[in-house]
Amino acid sequence: MRRLAARGAAGDAGEAAAPAADRTDCARGRGRSPWRLIDLRAIWDTGVVLPAADWKGPSSGVAGRRLNKAEALSSVRKAQFERLEAARPRGPGSRERGPVLRMAGQQPPPWVLAALLLCLPSLGGAIEIPMDPSIQNELSQPPTITKQSVKDHIVDPRDNILIECEAKGNPAPSFHWTRNSRFFNIAKDPRVSMRRRSGTLVIDFRSGGRPEEYEGEYQCFARNKFGTALSNRIRLQVSKSPLWPKENLDPVVVQEGAPLTLQCNPPPGLPSPVIFWMSSSMEPITQDKRVSQGHNGDLYFSNVMLPDMQTDYSCNARFHFTHTIQQKDAFTLKVLTNHPYNDSSLRNHPDMYSARGVAERTPSFMYPQGTASSQMVLRGMDLLLECIASGVPTPDIAWYKKGGDLPSDKAKFENFNKALRITNVSEEDSGEYFCLASNKMGSIRHTISVRVKAAPYWLDEPKNLILAPGEDGRLVCRASGNPKPTVQWMVNGEPLQSAPPNPNREVAGDTIIFRDTQISSRAVYQCNTSNEHGYLLANAFVSVLDVPPRMLSPRNQLIRVILYNRTRLDCPFFGSPIPTLRWFKNGQGSNLDGGNYHVYENGSLEIKMTRKEDQGIYTCVATNILGKAENQVHLEVKDPTRIYRMPEDQVAKRGTTVQLECRVKHDPSLKLTVSWLKDDEPLYVSNRMKKEDESLTIFGVAERDQGSYTCIASTELDQDLAKAYLTVLADQATPTNRLAALPKGRPDRPRDLELTDLAERSVRLTWIPGDDNNSPITDYVVQFEEDQFQPGVWHDHSKFPGSVNSAVLHLSPYVNYQFRVIAVNEVGSSHPSLPSERYRTSGAPPESNPADVKGEGTRKNNMEITWTPMNATSAFGPNLRYIVKWRRRETREAWSNVTVWGSRHVVGQTPVYVPYEIRVQAENDFGKGPEPDTVIGYSGEDYPRAAPTDVKIRVLNSTAVSLQWNRVYSDTVQGQLREYRAYYWRESSLLKNLWVSQKRQQASFPGDRLRGVVSRLFPYSNYKLEMVVVNGRGDGPRSETKEFATPEGVPSAPRRFRVRQPNLETIHLEWDHPEHPNGILTGYTLKYVAFNGTKVGKQIVENFSPNQTKFTMQRADPVSRYRFTLSARTQVGSGEAATEESPAPPNEAYTNNQADIATQGWFIGLMCAVALLVLILLIVCFIKRSRGGKYPVREKKDVPLGPEDPKEEDGSFDYSDEDNKPLQGSQTSLDGTIKQQESDDSLVDYGEGGEGQFNEDGSFIGQYTVKKDKEETEGNESSEATSPVNAIYSLA
């Protein structure tokens, strides 16, 4: 079963030539002369060519370009140029490519380079004049500078000096130099030489000399008989790395917490050195928010701390050219402190400064000084703003731009936010920036006014101008800058004013206009534009050529193409004036153009669909007033490569033999290659495989052979491929194919499609169903593909029941149909069938017109008419086009019309926002479509001319105001009224010394409304407001600025509300003032309540003054927690509250459980029973003691005796006077009770009689005494006094 079949030529067209496409002219502009400008769009482009025997090189291609950017001055030439551009092929299908047959590593032939020479100004220095004498003698070129040193040229004094200047031209240019605007005589200085065939200067110091003697400004002149080109003015400077002066630096004495600046003052170097700070032992200085290096190289301490004196500080300068580092004598610090001990534990203290006795200070700026400064930066450079502040604690730095946001895509913060860098500065980056330094003691800010200036930069750089004799053209030199640059023209290096007069040349400011140019007009022009910040120098030559027609490709090319594919025959030619080109086939007299042929302006002949009868010899003839030239192209049409017997999916048992067929039909004149892929990788043919021309056989199939196999049949022009899947089963599996093992599967593809009953608008399609694989076929889907608009794309045509295998298909006119069928069952869809043969229906006029016709302005003086283009099934004929008509609405003026091939047309020079009636009608070569509907469109909008008037503001509350305004007149809107818009910003707060953001905000009121509400304002603030009218183009002028103030509101929540509990008796509360007071604070309200588990106490309310930010309360009990709610007050009322809870004590969980259990009745009863049992035990113990009884002593007690025991020697233990003494092996608890440890009994349990002895092993020998034992031993009758606690342990 075939899984995939894909066919296509190598490349889009399958031809052996990749034709020229979408080229542009090498020349633009035409004057009064009847001669035409040089058009190099016809220059040879890429193609697979089999050249004649007299030339062995490969083909190579390059897209032609215009020779110049000269604008046409003649209306006649302009019209011709527009027609030429309209006829140039564009869009899909305008360029086809085939496989390129060329040999790598060979140079292109001279005729290619000759053509490319004329496009040299557009292609830059990559193209050289060919060495072929016939071309070199005919084509001339003024000098062009191709390489030069930079304007500021800094050199290493240890090396020879090299000042580059290279140029090209025909004939080769000669060079000379000026130094400081005077002729530099190289021959008189033995150290100076010039490279051969180059203008590069080499100054050699191997024999001595000082490089500083050659510093100055140099300029290179490249000259041949057609003109002189100039290099930039190159300023030569020798790199300098002066030594650091020796200094005796006294220790710097500074009070701890004070700011400090260690100045670097590096020696002036060229270029400036890179500065960094290290210790004298070459350890880097750690920098952070407190200690950092400024952009000027100084080291700044926002506040000095005692650990700063543990190292010294040395400034280092690294010089670029010499790669040396110079080190300044080190600074040593002596820090005076109130806390002389450098306790490391204080470094991590939350308030390190107060712990060390350092007074806190508000921020102040160390750099820059004062509250405001200014800075100038050039356009395109980086802007670096820096603010370094001192203070205790170390201040934080934040950056803002007044009236806007920082450019997020270009701005980045450096040096711990102390520096703001904006890359690639432009004019919109000018304005006022300010940095805000703040700590908990306060904040200050510094404003930096930034002015952006600009060295000259190109708006329209002059380009080389190549014309035919009698042509008109112009050189344009437009540049911008700040201040505005001046323009100076020169010709061949001399001021234009002192050059000989030229009646064909006219200077108009930044433009030189040439009329009726002749051969003598050749020259090199220089444009120098400059201001106080720099200059730009550009060379542009004017060259005039007259060349008879010449063919630029090899003669008798052979081009081969696949049948029914589109191809293009190239005939690159050159001449000045531009020759006209005609094509002939097999020597016939009629010119080929129209029908299946189309000739492009670049000379290429396109054959839309090649057939066998298109084979033959094609002749192209180029003619101008100087002569003519011709060339021939041989076209061969080849049959396509097709796989007619494809490999099928197979399921095989392991060890069996499998054969995959791949039978191919191809053109016998082409070499066929059949290759195989496995899983989309090249197949390695092992000794178990046999590859033949029409099959692949696998012997002894193994599991590793399972996968997809792709057969690729290819020639040098096209290829076809087909894929199948091989499944390998284990030995016990018995199915003969992969799909039979499944109970149900997708159907096999239908086959043998046949077209019958051919009619103009219908055809009958018949097919043979494939196997349904145990699931009945429910539907057939018929799809079609056409090769004109969307070749290779399949569309659904119709759907039929699964019980039929033949259907009549209704067709559209002039569509080259190809059909395929897909079978569907409940499992899924089959693979598509093989395509049917093609059937083209006859053409007819369109029966519909394009949809979605719209008319909208893209500029204030135009209207763009657009529509959805019609597809292939609605075109109904060749050359589908659209007749676009328009006229102003409600006027009796005649319809304007134009024929368009695309899907848009722009109407120019329209009044602002005027309604138009629009009609778009489809037309093909068979006729026009039906009369179209009229659609109303509008020309472009302009900005509104009037602003809303009589704007009234009424304050609704502290955060909202209502607006009312008068409607603007409709004729001032100049477009569709979208909305009224209010721009407002917070000018200041009514509270003194409160910084506010003045960022502009907006509120929109869509439609023609006369009132609205602006909300979400800040209370107690001064605002400004402006109104504008908005249409589709944008905002109109702004109304008179209105000012209003919002009343007081309730404040926001206090900031940083903190609850600390240093002990079980007190709780400390601290807070900061609200971020937004929204009025004058009258105080704070604190509400707190105690809670313990589910119990909640009575709420207590405290009121504080507005300046109080701390409060300490005494706890009522050590167990309960507290919930605090704090809010600030103004005259309006209390604001948003901040809520915190006191920390939970460590045993809170236990306390809660204890409190809950203690209230239960069963717990109370249990405790009473335990108390009664203890009382009974105590009574028993006292009774036994009063009788003088002996307590039984347990065996195997190994409690060691302490050396402090007074009776240790005789082994007796007297407890009579130590009833309350803690027992050995026990410990006293917090409540004074004795806790028993590892052993359950102690020496207390043993009798106290003097008869007690120890065995030889040290164990105690005692007589156990039991009250009821009749066998009491002698010597153990002494009485014993026992404490109740001991009695309890003995009973245990």
Side-chain angles (χ1 to χ4, degrees):
M1 176 181 183
R2 185 181 181 188
R3 305 251 323 218
L4 172 67
R7 299 190 178 104
D12 295 337
E15 57 188 80
D22 234 15
R23 308 187 195 121
T24 59
D25 305 31
C26 280
R28 183 174 62 179
R30 185 183 179 107
R32 299 184 299 272
S33 170
W35 292 20
R36 300 176 62 197
L37 278 178
I38 303 166
D39 186 358
L40 291 189
R41 293 177 309 146
I43 288 182
W44 173 87
D45 200 354
T46 306
V48 177
V49 182
L50 299 181
D54 58 349
W55 184 74
K56 303 299 184 183
S59 300
S60 65
V62 64
R65 295 174 182 260
R66 290 187 178 86
L67 272 176
N68 56 70
K69 300 253 180 169
E71 298 184 9
L73 302 178
S74 168
S75 59
V76 176
R77 172 59 181 161
K78 182 176 180 181
Q80 292 177 349
F81 181 73
E82 290 177 350
R83 289 197 299 272
L84 180 144
E85 289 292 300
R88 185 160 54 92
R90 293 180 173 88
S94 67
R95 185 175 195 140
E96 293 80 30
R97 296 180 179 176
V100 178
L101 305 180
R102 57 167 65 108
M103 301 189 308
Q106 295 189 5
Q107 296 296 325
W111 51 268
V112 176
L113 297 177
L116 298 179
L117 169 64
L118 298 178
C119 291
L120 182 64
S122 298
L123 298 177
I127 311 233
E128 300 293 337
I129 299 176
M131 300 304 297
D132 182 74
S134 62
I135 299 178
Q136 197 172 36
N137 294 334
E138 291 182 17
L139 300 178
S140 58
Q141 178 194 12
T144 301
I145 300 292
T146 59
K147 190 176 184 181
Q148 57 184 319
S149 296
V150 295
K151 294 180 181 179
D152 291 316
H153 189 32
I154 302 175
V155 296
D156 192 335
R158 300 171 299 178
D159 300 332
N160 292 336
I161 295 177
L162 200 71
I163 310 178
E164 292 183 313
C165 177
E166 296 183 8
K168 59 188 170 186
N170 186 18
S174 60
F175 298 87
H176 74 270
W177 286 82
T178 61
R179 179 185 175 195
N180 298 328
S181 300
R182 294 184 177 182
F183 176 72
F184 185 39
N185 194 339
I186 299 173
K188 288 186 177 182
D189 194 333
R191 296 191 186 96
V192 183
S193 62
M194 189 182 299
R195 286 182 175 175
R196 188 166 175 240
R197 296 179 182 175
S198 169
T200 298
L201 288 182
V202 180
I203 307 176
D204 193 343
F205 297 103
R206 287 178 294 183
S207 59
R210 297 180 65 252
E212 290 79 4
E213 297 176 356
Y214 291 90
E215 290 185 327
E217 188 176 75
Y218 292 79
Q219 191 167 27
C220 173
F221 293 74
R223 173 178 298 160
N224 67 10
K225 65 179 181 179
F226 300 115
T228 302
L230 276 64
S231 73
N232 290 323
R233 296 188 296 275
I234 301 169
R235 184 185 178 193
L236 178 67
Q237 295 175 284
V238 179
S239 172
K240 298 178 179 62
S241 54
L243 297 177
W244 220 309
K246 290 294 183 181
E247 300 177 277
N248 293 323
L249 300 176
D250 295 329
V252 179
V253 181
V254 61
Q255 182 69 36
E256 186 173 20
L260 175 64
T261 302
L262 299 181
Q263 294 184 348
C264 181
N265 296 327
L270 185 67
S272 300
V274 177
I275 305 300
F276 57 96
W277 286 79
M278 303 185 75
S279 65
S280 57
S281 58
M282 302 306 290
E283 294 291 334
I285 301 299
T286 303
Q287 299 189 25
D288 53 21
K289 184 174 70 172
R290 185 178 65 88
V291 181
S292 63
Q293 175 185 324
H295 184 63
N296 59 3
D298 295 345
L299 189 65
Y300 293 90
F301 295 76
S302 294
N303 50 76
V304 177
M305 299 303 294
L306 187 62
D308 295 333
M309 62 185 291
Q310 293 179 356
T311 185
D312 54 8
Y313 302 86
S314 176
C315 182
N316 296 260
R318 184 174 70 245
F319 293 90
H320 172 69
F321 279 92
T322 59
H323 301 288
T324 58
I325 297 177
Q326 297 188 25
Q327 188 176 48
K328 185 177 181 178
D329 292 339
F331 293 94
T332 58
L333 300 185
K334 182 178 180 182
V335 181
L336 306 179
T337 178
N338 298 326
H339 195 294
Y341 302 104
N342 186 15
D343 190 351
S344 60
S345 64
L346 297 180
R347 296 180 183 178
N348 298 324
H349 195 279
D351 196 350
M352 178 180 64
Y353 297 100
S354 61
R356 295 196 54 81
V358 177
E360 297 179 337
R361 294 183 293 103
T362 57
S364 62
F365 283 111
M366 305 175 69
Y367 180 88
Q369 301 290 334
T371 59
S373 61
S374 62
Q375 191 165 334
M376 190 272 289
V377 64
L378 291 181
R379 180 182 186 269
M381 307 297 288
D382 286 359
L383 169 65
L384 183 67
L385 305 178
E386 191 172 36
C387 281
I388 302 176
S390 65
V392 179
T394 303
D396 294 314
I397 305 293
W399 290 90
Y400 304 91
K401 182 179 182 183
K402 289 188 177 180
D405 296 329
L406 296 176
S408 58
D409 56 334
K410 301 193 297 182
K412 61 179 180 179
F413 301 104
E414 299 176 354
N415 198 14
F416 311 99
N417 267 30
K418 298 179 185 179
L420 169 65
R421 182 181 297 274
I422 300 177
T423 59
N424 193 20
V425 170
S426 56
E427 286 77 1
E428 57 264 23
D429 294 320
S430 61
E432 290 190 354
Y433 297 78
F434 67 90
C435 56
L436 185 70
S438 60
N439 62 12
K440 66 179 183 179
M441 300 301 295
S443 63
I444 58 171
R445 69 174 177 175
H446 182 94
T447 302
I448 305 174
S449 178
V450 174
R451 294 173 293 114
V452 178
K453 300 292 185 178
Y457 57 93
W458 290 119
L459 297 177
D460 197 347
E461 184 178 1
K463 304 297 182 183
N464 294 333
L465 186 63
I466 300 180
L467 303 172
E471 291 290 343
D472 296 350
R474 64 180 178 176
L475 294 177
V476 180
C477 177
R478 292 194 182 98
S480 183
N482 187 6
K484 181 177 178 60
T486 58
V487 176
Q488 178 189 9
W489 284 101
M490 295 182 288
V491 56
N492 296 328
E494 300 294 334
L496 196 63
Q497 296 81 358
S498 60
N502 186 345
N504 298 332
R505 181 181 64 209
E506 177 185 347
V507 180
D510 57 10
T511 304
I512 299 180
I513 302 172
F514 299 92
R515 294 188 175 89
D516 193 20
T517 56
Q518 301 301 322
I519 299 296
S520 59
S521 300
R522 297 172 179 172
V524 182
Y525 290 83
Q526 289 83 33
C527 173
N528 184 28
T529 174
S530 61
N531 64 12
E532 62 188 63
H533 302 297
Y535 75 93
L536 293 172
L537 177 66
N539 292 276
F541 65 69
V542 177
S543 182
V544 182
L545 296 177
D546 53 346
V547 181
R550 172 180 297 177
M551 293 297 168
L552 301 178
S553 61
R555 304 187 66 82
N556 301 320
Q557 300 178 61
L558 174 62
I559 296 181
R560 299 179 297 179
V561 65
I562 296 299
L563 183 67
Y564 300 132
N565 277 338
R566 179 182 301 184
T567 188
R568 190 180 298 175
L569 309 182
D570 288 335
C571 182
F573 62 94
F574 168 64
S576 176
I578 301 175
T580 57
L581 186 78
R582 293 184 298 168
W583 282 89
F584 305 94
K585 179 185 176 185
N586 297 330
Q588 297 177 359
S590 59
N591 183 28
L592 297 179
D593 196 5
N596 198 33
Y597 300 101
H598 179 68
V599 178
Y600 291 105
E601 289 290 333
N602 62 6
S604 296
L605 173 65
E606 181 186 62
I607 304 176
K608 300 177 182 178
M609 180 184 295
T610 55
R611 297 159 296 188
K612 286 293 185 179
E613 55 267 27
D614 291 324
Q615 287 190 139
I617 298 175
Y618 292 80
T619 303
C620 58
V621 179
T623 306
N624 69 7
I625 61 175
L626 300 178
K628 72 176 181 177
E630 67 179 45
N631 198 359
Q632 290 184 343
V633 180
H634 297 259
L635 178 65
E636 293 182 357
V637 180
K638 304 297 182 181
D639 292 327
T641 303
R642 293 291 181 262
I643 300 176
Y644 67 92
R645 186 67 179 270
M646 294 160 288
E648 297 183 350
D649 293 350
Q650 296 190 38
V651 178
K653 293 176 63 176
R654 185 173 55 187
T656 60
T657 299
V658 171
Q659 185 179 55
L660 299 173
E661 287 188 305
C662 183
R663 298 187 181 183
V664 183
K665 179 181 179 181
H666 71 290
D667 193 289
S669 64
L670 300 177
K671 181 181 178 181
L672 175 68
T673 301
V674 178
S675 59
W676 289 85
L677 304 179
K678 182 180 183 297
D679 297 328
D680 298 328
E681 296 292 338
L683 174 66
Y684 171 71
V685 180
S686 64
N687 55 6
R688 296 186 301 106
M689 299 181 182
K690 182 180 180 182
K691 177 185 172 185
E692 299 176 316
D693 291 341
E694 296 185 343
S695 65
L696 174 68
T697 305
I698 305 175
F699 302 96
V701 172
E703 285 82 353
R704 64 178 178 271
D705 296 324
Q706 179 168 299
S708 64
Y709 289 81
T710 305
C711 173
I712 303 177
S714 59
T715 65
E716 57 265 39
L717 298 184
D718 67 341
Q719 70 174 22
D720 193 11
L721 59 89
K723 181 181 290 188
Y725 195 90
L726 173 63
T727 302
V728 179
L729 301 178
D731 292 338
Q732 64 271 19
T734 58
T736 57
N737 61 75
R738 184 161 64 104
L739 299 177
L742 301 175
K744 290 183 180 182
R746 296 187 302 172
D748 291 347
R749 70 179 77 196
R751 57 188 176 87
D752 296 342
L753 273 64
E754 183 181 6
L755 297 178
T756 58
D757 300 342
L758 304 178
E760 287 188 358
R761 295 294 183 92
S762 66
V763 68
R764 176 174 290 277
L765 175 64
T766 305
W767 62 91
I768 298 177
D771 191 350
D772 63 6
N773 291 322
N774 304 320
S775 178
I777 297 175
T778 59
D779 298 289
Y780 287 103
V781 177
V782 177
Q783 296 181 329
F784 75 94
E785 179 261 353
E786 53 83 25
D787 59 357
Q788 182 177 2
F789 288 88
Q790 292 180 300
V793 179
W794 291 89
H795 308 273
D796 288 346
H797 183 280
S798 51
K799 190 175 184 180
F800 300 99
S803 58
V804 303
N805 68 332
S806 179
V808 175
L809 307 179
H810 297 284
L811 309 178
S812 298
Y814 202 72
V815 177
N816 195 18
Y817 283 101
Q818 185 175 233
F819 301 99
R820 70 181 185 184
V821 182
I822 299 174
V824 181
N825 64 8
E826 64 178 7
V827 179
S829 300
S830 71
H831 292 292
S833 68
L834 297 180
S836 69
E837 59 181 325
R838 286 197 178 272
Y839 175 62
R840 179 184 291 277
T841 56
S842 58
E847 295 182 356
S848 61
N849 290 309
D852 298 328
V853 179
K854 297 177 182 177
E856 297 175 346
T858 58
R859 296 183 180 180
K860 66 179 181 180
N861 58 351
N862 76 356
M863 178 180 64
E864 184 179 63
I865 303 174
T866 60
W867 56 90
T868 301
M870 300 167 65
N871 56 28
T873 58
S874 55
F876 285 16
N879 296 323
L880 177 66
R881 50 199 178 270
Y882 304 96
I883 302 174
V884 183
K885 298 181 179 180
W886 68 94
R887 69 179 180 185
R888 290 185 59 173
R889 188 181 182 185
E890 298 176 354
T891 62
R892 297 184 179 275
E893 63 183 20
W895 289 89
S896 300
N897 66 84
V898 66
T899 301
V900 179
W901 295 81
S903 60
R904 60 186 291 270
H905 175 70
V906 178
V907 180
Q909 304 302 320
T910 62
V912 175
Y913 201 65
V914 172
Y916 279 84
E917 295 179 341
I918 301 171
R919 295 177 181 177
V920 180
Q921 184 179 26
E923 181 185 25
N924 60 24
D925 288 353
F926 290 95
K928 297 180 180 180
E931 281 298 318
D933 296 332
T934 301
V935 176
I936 304 300
Y938 285 84
S939 58
E941 300 179 73
D942 199 358
Y943 295 106
R945 290 188 287 106
T949 57
D950 196 17
V951 179
K952 297 179 182 179
I953 302 175
R954 182 169 61 91
V955 178
L956 300 178
N957 51 48
S958 61
T959 61
V961 297
S962 68
L963 303 178
Q964 188 173 348
W965 59 89
N966 287 343
R967 179 183 290 109
V968 297
Y969 292 106
S970 58
D971 59 340
T972 65
V973 177
Q974 300 197 112
Q976 181 182 3
L977 176 62
R978 299 289 181 88
E979 61 183 33
Y980 287 92
R981 183 179 297 168
Y983 290 99
Y984 60 94
W985 62 97
R986 191 182 183 191
E987 185 70 18
S988 63
S989 172
L990 292 175
L991 295 173
K992 294 182 179 180
N993 301 324
L994 180 63
W995 178 87
V996 298
S997 172
Q998 295 183 346
K999 180 180 179 181
R1000 288 176 175 259
Q1001 298 175 288
Q1002 66 182 45
S1004 298
F1005 309 104
D1008 192 10
R1009 298 170 56 182
L1010 298 179
R1011 58 180 53 86
V1013 175
V1014 177
S1015 59
R1016 303 181 69 179
L1017 303 174
F1018 285 97
Y1020 211 54
S1021 299
N1022 290 318
Y1023 275 89
K1024 290 185 177 181
L1025 181 143
E1026 298 171 343
M1027 294 286 294
V1028 297
V1029 179
V1030 181
N1031 62 12
R1033 185 75 184 276
D1035 295 1
R1038 299 175 184 263
S1039 68
E1040 178 186 359
T1041 302
K1042 295 291 184 178
E1043 298 184 2
F1044 64 92
T1046 54
E1048 284 191 86
V1050 295
S1052 61
R1055 293 182 296 171
R1056 292 190 283 274
F1057 184 29
R1058 305 174 294 280
V1059 177
R1060 296 187 295 109
Q1061 182 174 306
N1063 50 54
L1064 297 177
E1065 287 77 23
T1066 60
I1067 297 178
H1068 292 314
L1069 281 70
E1070 296 182 6
W1071 62 89
D1072 292 344
H1073 295 301
E1075 181 180 5
H1076 302 291
N1078 296 335
I1080 300 175
L1081 292 181
T1082 59
Y1084 294 92
T1085 300
L1086 175 67
K1087 300 178 182 179
Y1088 59 94
V1089 62
F1091 64 93
N1092 186 353
T1094 58
K1095 293 184 178 180
V1096 180
K1098 182 180 178 181
Q1099 179 175 279
I1100 301 175
V1101 180
E1102 299 279 354
N1103 291 313
F1104 308 120
S1105 67
N1107 295 326
Q1108 183 172 346
T1109 58
K1110 297 181 180 179
F1111 176 67
T1112 302
M1113 62 161 289
Q1114 301 295 324
R1115 297 175 62 98
D1117 63 84
V1119 177
S1120 300
R1121 294 178 63 190
Y1122 289 84
R1123 184 177 294 111
F1124 300 93
T1125 303
L1126 179 68
S1127 60
R1129 303 189 310 273
T1130 61
Q1131 293 181 356
V1132 178
S1134 296
E1136 181 183 355
T1139 302
E1140 292 288 341
E1141 293 184 358
S1142 61
N1147 60 345
E1148 180 187 16
Y1150 169 76
T1151 303
N1152 291 341
N1153 293 337
Q1154 189 182 38
D1156 294 339
I1157 295 174
T1159 60
Q1160 304 296 322
W1162 62 268
F1163 181 77
I1164 297 174
L1166 178 62
M1167 292 298 102
C1168 291
V1170 172
L1172 180 60
L1173 179 60
V1174 172
L1175 180 61
I1176 294 173
L1177 290 174
L1178 290 175
I1179 294 174
V1180 172
C1181 290
F1182 279 111
I1183 293 174
K1184 294 189 69 176
R1185 180 170 180 174
S1186 63
R1187 293 182 180 179
K1190 299 177 180 176
Y1191 297 96
V1193 181
R1194 299 181 182 179
E1195 293 181 354
K1196 300 181 180 179
K1197 292 297 175 182
D1198 54 359
V1199 177
L1201 299 177
E1204 70 279 0
D1205 292 331
K1207 304 289 183 71
E1208 182 179 356
E1209 294 181 359
D1210 58 0
S1212 62
F1213 301 85
D1214 187 4
Y1215 295 97
S1216 59
D1217 296 327
E1218 300 182 11
D1219 292 343
N1220 298 323
K1221 180 179 180 181
L1223 303 178
Q1224 184 166 345
S1226 67
Q1227 63 182 10
T1228 306
S1229 66
L1230 293 176
D1231 58 359
T1233 61
I1234 298 175
K1235 295 183 179 180
Q1236 187 178 4
Q1237 290 189 343
E1238 295 178 0
S1239 179
D1240 287 340
D1241 38 40
S1242 68
L1243 292 178
V1244 178
D1245 299 321
Y1246 299 101
E1248 195 182 1
E1251 302 294 333
Q1253 300 178 0
F1254 288 89
N1255 282 337
E1256 293 178 357
D1257 60 358
S1259 61
F1260 179 76
I1261 303 175
Q1263 300 263 331
Y1264 299 125
T1265 303
V1266 182
K1267 179 72 178 176
K1268 297 181 181 180
D1269 192 351
K1270 302 298 183 180
E1271 300 177 358
E1272 295 182 352
T1273 308
E1274 267 183 56
N1276 292 324
E1277 296 179 355
S1278 61
S1279 63
E1280 174 180 85
T1282 306
S1283 71
V1285 175
N1286 293 338
I1288 294 174
Y1289 278 116
S1290 66
L1291 290 175

